[in-house]
Amino acid sequence: MMTSELDRPRDWTWWVVAYVIAAIVIKVQVFSGTGLLDTFAFLALLASLFLASSVAMAPWARAAIFVVLLMAVIPYIGLRNTFYLDVVTQVGIFAALALGLNIVVGFAGLLDLGFVAFFAVGAYTWAIFGSAQANQFLSIGATASFFPLPPDFFFVILMLTVIIAATAGVLLGLPVLRLRGDYLAIVTLGFGEVIRVLANNLDKPVNITNGPRGITGIGQPLSSVAKALGTSLIPPFKWQALIYYALVLAVIGLAIFFTRRLDNSKIGRAWVAIREDEVAAQAMGVPLVRTKLIAFATGASFAGVMGALFASKQTFISPESFDFNQSIGVLAMVVLGGLGSVRGAIVGAAIVTILNLQVLKALSTWLNGLRADGVEILGYSLANLPAQFEPSKYERLIFGLILIAMMLYRPQGLVPEKRRAHELARKAGEINISAGAKKL
C-alpha cells in the first residue's frame, strides 16, 4: 500500500539543522564559561542529540549532526574547559550502566536493587592490579614487585572484567531463579550490600581491597599518548580527559549495538515473554534458568566494563563509591527514561547525571552569588538565607519528587518502548471502558 502525502510525517531536517547551528554558536561564542546560563546553553547543545534522534528528518542530516557534535564540537568545548568533557564522560558511564540494568529490569522484568555490585567488581579488578595494591598479597619476595601493571594493560583487564562481572551475575542469578518481584529485589539488595561490606573489610588478615581507606594511584590507559600530545596550550591532563571521552563513546556504541541486537533476537523475545508471564513463557518452551542467567550475566558485564573505566578515570576508589544509593540512582535513570527502551535508558542517565553534576551545582553557585551580593527579594535580604537551602543539598529529594511525578503522570517513561507504551494505553482504555460500563 502506498503512503499518501498526508500520511507522511513532517520533515524537520532544516529546522533541526538550524537549531543545532544556533546552539553551537551560542555555546562556543556567547556562553563559554561554567555559570548558570552557560550550563543551560550546554544542555541546549546536548538536547540537539535527542532532537535529532526523535524527529523525522533526512538520514544524512541525522548522521551529520551526531558526527559533528560528538566528534568535533564537544571535544573542542571540552579541551577549552575539561569540566564539560568530564560531565559528558560521566553521562556515558552511567548510560552504559543504565543500558545494562535495562536488560535485567526492562527486558527480563527482574527487579535488581544491587546492580552497583557488578560496577564495584569491575572497578576493584582494575584498581587492585592497576595499582601497587596487589603487592600486598601477591608479592613473591621482599624486593619483587610486579604491580602496578603497565597502564596499557588496562585493555586486557577490561576484557577480563567482562568475564569476571558476568560470572558474578551468574552467581547472583543461581540462588534467586525461583524468586520474583519483592523477594528478588530484597535478595539483590542484599547481594549489593555484601559486595560493599567485603570491599570495606577485606584488608585483614590479607589486605586485598585496603578496606575503608580505598585504593589510590590507579593507572590510566594511554597516559603516554596524552604526555606525547601535551603542549603549553593543551596540557596532557586535557588530552587524557579526551581519551576517556573517546573510550566511553566507543563502549557506549558497542553497548547500544549489542543491546539492539539482543532486543531483536530470540533471547530478547524470551526475556520479554518471561517479563510478561513467566508461567506462560515456560509452557511455551522458554528455558527459564538459562534465559534469566543470560540476562543477569549480560547486564553485569556492562557494569563491570564501566567499573574498570570508572576506577582508572578517578584514580581512586573506596567502598563509599558503591553504596545502595548508586543502585537506586541507576534504577531511577532506567525508570525515568522508560523501562525496556534503549534510547530511554540513555536519556534517563543523561538527565539524572547532568542534574546532579551540573544543574544543581550551578543553581547553588548562582544562589551563593546572590547571597554574597546581598540581593533583596520583596524586602528580604538573601544574605540571611541559610546555607541549607542550597539546591545541591536536595539532590535525593528532587530525584524522589521526579520519580513520584513520573509514576503518577507518565509511568511509561520519557521515551517509552513502543510495546510497553501500547500495553499501558490498552490497559488505560480497558479501565476507562470498565468505569463507563459501571456508570451505565
Side-chain angles (χ1 to χ4, degrees), residues 286-299:
V286 174
L288 290 184
V289 173
R290 190 178 68 186
T291 309
K292 285 185 177 180
L293 288 181
I294 291 175
F296 275 116
T298 308

Side-chain angles (χ1 to χ4, degrees), residues 4-291:
S4 68
E5 289 293 330
L6 292 175
D7 293 333
R8 292 178 183 172
R10 181 175 179 181
D11 189 349
W12 293 92
T13 299
W14 294 110
W15 288 99
V16 176
V17 170
Y19 171 82
V20 172
I21 293 173
I24 293 173
V25 171
I26 290 172
K27 179 57 193 166
V28 174
Q29 298 295 332
V30 182
F31 298 110
S32 55
T34 54
L36 188 60
L37 292 176
D38 304 278
T39 296
F40 285 114
F42 185 62
L43 294 179
L45 183 65
L46 293 183
S48 305
L49 296 171
F50 176 70
L51 196 61
S53 66
S54 303
V55 301
M57 60 186 301
W60 65 265
R62 195 192 315 275
I65 288 171
F66 271 83
V67 170
V68 170
L69 286 180
L70 294 177
M71 302 295 180
V73 177
I74 291 178
Y76 173 74
I77 295 172
L79 286 177
R80 293 173 65 185
N81 187 340
T82 52
F83 173 73
Y84 290 112
L85 216 48
D86 186 58
V87 169
V88 178
T89 304
Q90 291 278 10
V91 168
I93 289 174
F94 283 106
L97 281 177
L99 285 171
L101 186 59
N102 191 45
I103 289 175
V104 182
V105 181
F107 289 1
L110 305 170
L111 184 55
D112 188 349
L113 294 182
F115 192 67
V116 77
F118 308 117
F119 189 52
V121 167
Y124 269 96
T125 301
W126 173 242
I128 290 171
F129 298 104
S131 70
Q133 179 62 29
N135 291 321
Q136 299 287 333
F137 58 95
L138 285 179
S139 62
I140 298 174
T143 57
S145 59
F146 295 101
F147 303 98
L149 293 173
D152 292 340
F153 212 79
F154 167 81
F155 296 102
V156 178
I157 297 292
L158 200 65
M159 297 297 106
L160 289 178
T161 55
V162 175
I163 301 171
I164 294 171
T167 305
V170 172
L171 291 177
L172 168 66
L174 280 174
V176 301
L177 288 174
R178 295 184 180 180
L179 301 179
R180 299 174 63 186
D182 301 343
Y183 301 101
L184 176 63
I186 292 170
V187 172
T188 53
L189 187 155
F191 179 75
E193 283 300 291
V194 165
I195 296 295
R196 188 186 65 80
V197 170
L198 283 176
N200 209 28
N201 292 283
L202 279 181
D203 56 342
K204 292 178 182 177
V206 179
N207 189 358
I208 298 175
T209 63
N210 208 29
R213 291 164 294 182
I215 300 175
T216 59
I218 303 169
Q220 296 188 309
L222 302 177
S223 54
S224 57
V225 175
K227 288 179 182 175
L229 293 173
T231 62
S232 57
L233 292 177
I234 305 177
F237 79 90
K238 289 190 175 184
W239 286 111
Q240 190 69 54
L242 189 62
I243 287 170
Y244 276 114
Y245 169 73
L247 286 175
V248 166
L249 269 190
V251 175
I252 283 287
L254 288 174
I256 293 173
F257 173 76
F258 284 119
T259 304
R260 290 199 180 280
R261 295 282 294 178
L262 286 170
D263 191 20
N264 297 321
S265 68
K266 182 180 177 182
I267 189 67
R269 291 190 289 275
W271 285 336
V272 173
I274 290 176
R275 184 187 71 191
E276 298 303 320
D277 193 327
E278 191 171 308
V279 176
Q282 191 173 21
M284 294 299 292
V286 174
L288 290 184
V289 173
R290 190 178 68 186
T291 309

